[in-house]
Amino acid sequence: MRTSARLPVALRGYDRNQVDALLKRISQALDGGPPVSADEVRAARFDVVLRGYDNRAVDELLRECIRELWARAPIRERPGRPRAHPAWLITWIQNARFSGAGLRPGYDVRDVDAFLDRVIAGLRGAAPPVTARDVRESAFRVVRLGPGYDEQEVDRFLVQLASALEH
């Protein structure tokens, strides 16, 4: 995740020094430094000043940071998140939707769907269980033309799935 994205400046916007300081802390946390929780980022407030960062651009970037922090946090450290039961995981996997890759290269839809079907079969006991390690080591063919899923969305989902399967 790039927290160092160039943010547009607006006539009145969030204080650039305050935003930059928070983004630096988030970047360090994502690189293994001192932790920053998603709740901390969500609770952050900035002064509105002249020639500050565009509010909407900052809010959007912080939403992405929060998603990334949640995805990387072990489930046991996520407040209010009980242990995931197989039935819940199955429903969650079945309801997962990924954007199409459009004109960019993307993961082969058939490969991703087949892998997720294998995970579900394992959770149901109809096939050998798929481990968190299997999820982390999964690889899919990349298609340039044809049906493909957005790679980043699939990767984010797989990080969350691996974390859920660890518990």
Side-chain angles (χ1 to χ4, degrees), residues 24-84:
K24 182 178 179 182
R25 285 186 57 215
I26 293 168
S27 181
Q28 289 171 341
L30 293 173
D31 289 337
V36 174
S37 73
D39 289 333
E40 262 183 275
V41 175
R42 192 175 292 108
R45 298 294 178 255
F46 308 107
D47 296 330
V48 175
V49 298
L50 290 175
R51 305 286 304 143
Y53 287 136
D54 179 74
N55 299 9
R56 279 180 274 177
V58 171
D59 292 344
E60 185 176 320
L61 178 59
L62 291 179
R63 276 192 292 276
E64 289 177 32
C65 291
I66 289 167
R67 282 192 292 272
E68 188 70 21
L69 289 166
W70 272 103
R72 292 187 184 199
I75 284 185
R76 68 182 171 279
E77 293 177 14
R78 297 180 190 173
R81 298 289 299 258
R83 182 179 172 165

Side-chain angles (χ1 to χ4, degrees), residues 98 107 140 150-160:
F98 307 109
Y107 290 139
F140 308 107
D150 181 275
E151 293 177 19
Q152 289 181 336
E153 283 184 31
V154 173
D155 290 342
R156 259 187 250 125
F157 179 80
L158 292 177
V159 166
Q160 293 172 338

Side-chain angles (χ1 to χ4, degrees), residues 93-120:
I93 294 167
Q94 288 174 329
N95 290 328
R97 299 290 177 259
F98 307 109
S99 301
L103 299 176
R104 295 169 298 159
Y107 290 139
D108 188 307
V109 168
R110 295 167 297 198
D111 289 356
V112 174
D113 290 347
F115 179 75
L116 293 179
D117 287 344
R118 209 173 96 212
V119 173
I120 290 171

